[in-house]
Amino acid sequence: MNAKQNELMARSLAEIRRLKAENAALRERAAEPIAIIGMGCRFPGAADAAAYWEMLREGRSGVTEVPEERWKLDDYYDPTGEAPGKTDSRHGAFLDQVDAFDAAFFGISPKEAQSLDPQQRLLLEMAWEAMESAGVAQRELAAAEVGVFVGLSGLDYAVRLLAPGNEGRIDPYFGTGVAMSPAAGRLSYFLKVTGPSMVIDTACSSSLVALHTACESLRRGECRAAFVGGVSLILSPAMSINFSKSGLLAKDGVCCPFDDAAHGYTRGEGAGMLLLKPLSAAQEAGDRILAVVHGSAVNQDGGSSGLTVPSGPSQQRVIRRALAQARLEPAAIDYVEAHGTATPLGDPIELGALGAVFAEAEAGRGAPLRIGSVKANLGHLEAAAGMASLCKVVLALQHGEWAPQRNFSRPSRHIDWADTGLEVVKERQVWPRREGGRRAGVSGFGFSGTNAHIVLGEAPAPAVREHAQR
């Protein structure tokens, strides 16, 4: 082999080494944990994150009868649920004063605010609270590649504005006020950020799918930080009538996930917003880290026995895929915040899937997998359900404690508890810390068949900075 061939061989080997190193770096980046550095939330009975945690740890409920300002309950209520245009439930979990909004603070005129869906208003407020939580000023984000990913599916405000006789209320702001896409675009516009901006509607899994999409965008380098939120308000009786006719609602307003008395859910509303960064970037910036997203996954039920019927095998696959991305074994997970709708069909399928993934890991964990569902406290927040679950788990990780499961006294006879290796958290408990830290899963399943699972962990210990002696 002559000198020229030796030189070519050396160059080829160097290029191969460079490509291997580049591929290894890409693989590491594709699995980099994502830090949650800010959080804002508002749920029935809890005006902020601190109040939310107190509500959860005390096992309180935000469910009430439908407030008079939403609609005249007796006009739409029938205890049998059989009358046309009527619902068999008088209950729900509602926020207070959803019509209150400081439009001027967000640079919105009073005229435009009239056509602005209160869901968009809430998202603006929650984004601001998430920034305050993170200690980030708006000017620091201006013109930056920061993404906005929003879970949203409700169109109740549009329904109200388009009611017969209201055509005269349609003004130049109607389209951007009630359409779904501007809910994300308005946040980007207000914050002056230029990263990907989108609304995601997969029904009840919307918020978790939004989180998954944001994490993937961060790992691909499309944005350097991301706002992820979800919101749902009940401003019309239409969907309550629909769900009543479908037999999904609990007539007494009591949602009992996993319990033998489970007989449907209560509708709820609320909003949450998280601010995310890649973990390495958050650590380098010295951000306060609330929790870490280790992995996430999304899939579809496909050809199940019905469009709205969940698929146990698909749920198993989405959980296993999220664990694989997190590079964790099932035994590493201590707790799962389940979707837990308290329906006789949904709960057994979901817990059967959890058991199939986690039961064999009980020996490695040294304890059953603990589970819970916040729907017993807040009802089902639909597009914002994932936010309610995520915020609950982030707070539990921060406090090192599991909140008690409300409305659980008699385990469902439709669930094979002995084989699943699952245990419902019945009372407040210290969350033991194992090697590697506390870790949890969060599940969400949409009635369109889209499933999502998120793997969360507690924040890493702050790096110890060495100071030179003087």
Side-chain angles (χ1 to χ4, degrees):
M1 188 178 291
N2 57 38
K4 187 174 183 179
Q5 289 174 321
N6 283 335
E7 183 181 354
L8 286 172
M9 181 65 75
R11 288 180 180 177
S12 297
L13 289 172
E15 180 65 9
I16 289 170
R17 292 191 187 99
R18 185 189 71 78
L19 290 172
K20 283 185 175 180
E22 189 175 285
N23 286 336
L26 287 172
R27 285 195 299 271
E28 286 303 309
R29 186 172 181 176
E32 180 176 8
I34 303 298
I36 300 173
I37 64 169
M39 181 171 71
C41 63
R42 192 172 305 164
F43 300 115
D48 55 27
Y52 186 38
W53 179 244
E54 286 303 307
M55 176 185 188
L56 293 171
R57 70 197 299 266
E58 292 173 8
R60 289 187 276 114
S61 170
V63 176
T64 63
E65 283 201 344
V66 178
E68 180 71 21
E69 62 267 20
R70 299 308 174 92
W71 61 82
K72 292 183 178 179
L73 180 56
D74 289 337
D75 289 350
Y76 295 96
Y77 175 69
D78 168 46
T80 70
E82 297 176 0
K86 307 276 188 177
T87 172
D88 61 3
S89 175
R90 301 179 62 88
H91 298 87
F94 297 89
L95 296 178
D96 295 327
Q97 298 181 311
V98 294
D99 57 338
F101 178 61
D102 189 350
F105 181 83
F106 295 100
I108 297 171
S109 70
K111 180 67 174 176
E112 184 176 4
Q114 290 178 8
S115 291
L116 186 59
D117 190 328
Q119 294 180 130
Q120 291 197 37
R121 305 174 201 172
L122 265 174
L123 289 170
L124 287 165
E125 292 170 345
M126 292 304 98
W128 191 265
E129 289 186 15
M131 284 193 299
E132 288 184 328
S133 167
V136 174
Q138 183 184 357
R139 64 179 179 275
E140 298 176 46
L141 303 178
E145 291 183 328
V146 175
V148 174
F149 303 83
V150 172
L152 174 64
S153 62
L155 294 170
D156 284 5
Y157 198 62
V159 171
R160 289 182 67 143
L161 290 185
L162 289 174
N166 281 354
E167 292 82 1
R169 295 185 59 184
I170 298 176
D171 59 21
Y173 304 109
F174 175 80
T176 54
V178 300
M180 294 176 67
S181 56
R186 190 181 299 277
L187 267 181
S188 297
Y189 171 79
F190 170 71
L191 297 169
K192 299 180 176 61
V193 297
T194 61
S197 183
M198 64 190 73
V199 168
I200 293 173
D201 178 10
T202 58
C204 315
S205 57
S206 297
S207 295
L208 298 191
V209 175
L211 179 66
H212 168 77
T213 306
C215 290
E216 293 299 291
S217 184
L218 286 164
R219 293 186 179 110
R220 288 193 298 267
E222 295 175 340
C223 51
R224 65 176 180 84
F227 288 89
V228 179
V231 62
S232 183
L233 291 177
I234 308 169
L235 305 176
S236 161
M239 293 310 297
S240 294
I241 295 169
N242 171 231
F243 295 145
S244 172
K245 301 302 183 191
S246 302
L248 297 174
L249 299 185
K251 292 185 178 183
D252 57 1
V254 180
C255 185
C256 310
F258 326 125
D259 194 87
D260 206 48
H263 55 295
Y265 61 80
T266 304
R267 298 188 72 201
E269 57 184 22
M273 186 73 67
L274 306 176
L275 182 54
L276 313 179
K277 270 187 182 181
L279 179 58
S280 58
Q283 291 175 318
E284 184 177 349
D287 293 318
R288 181 173 71 102
I289 298 171
L290 307 181
V292 173
V293 181
H294 289 290
S296 61
V298 171
N299 74 358
Q300 233 284 338
D301 285 338
S304 65
S305 58
L307 173 63
T308 62
V309 177
S311 164
S314 286
Q315 291 181 16
Q316 292 179 44
R317 285 192 292 272
V318 79
I319 295 169
R320 293 186 191 280
R321 188 172 298 167
L323 288 169
Q325 189 194 53
R327 299 178 178 177
L328 293 172
E329 295 296 324
I333 306 301
D334 307 308
Y335 174 87
V336 168
E337 178 66 14
H339 192 58
T341 54
T343 55
L345 178 64
D347 282 5
I349 291 175
E350 179 178 9
L351 268 58
L354 287 174
V357 174
F358 291 102
E360 294 181 3
E362 183 174 347
R365 189 183 304 106
L369 178 76
R370 268 60 171 213
I371 63 170
S373 171
V374 75
K375 291 178 180 62
N377 305 82
L378 300 178
H380 191 344
L381 272 62
E382 296 159 14
M387 273 296 126
S389 297
L390 286 165
C391 292
K392 173 184 174 181
V393 174
V394 169
L395 290 165
L397 286 165
Q398 287 186 284
H399 289 87
E401 187 177 300
W402 289 316
Q405 181 64 35
R406 183 179 171 84
N407 300 334
F408 181 80
S409 58
R410 192 173 46 170
S412 172
R413 74 190 78 177
H414 304 295
I415 297 167
D416 190 345
W417 294 95
D419 287 344
T420 60
L422 308 175
E423 182 178 297
V424 177
V425 178
K426 298 179 182 179
E427 55 189 23
R428 277 175 54 195
Q429 298 178 37
V430 172
W431 186 339
R433 179 182 282 116
R434 297 189 289 140
E435 184 178 355
R438 302 178 177 99
R439 300 188 183 100
V442 179
S443 288
F445 311 121
F447 74 170
S448 63
T450 299
N451 309 310
H453 190 80
I454 312 296
V455 179
L456 294 175
E458 65 183 331
V464 178
R465 300 182 183 274
E466 295 183 3
H467 299 279
Q469 294 184 350
R470 296 180 180 178

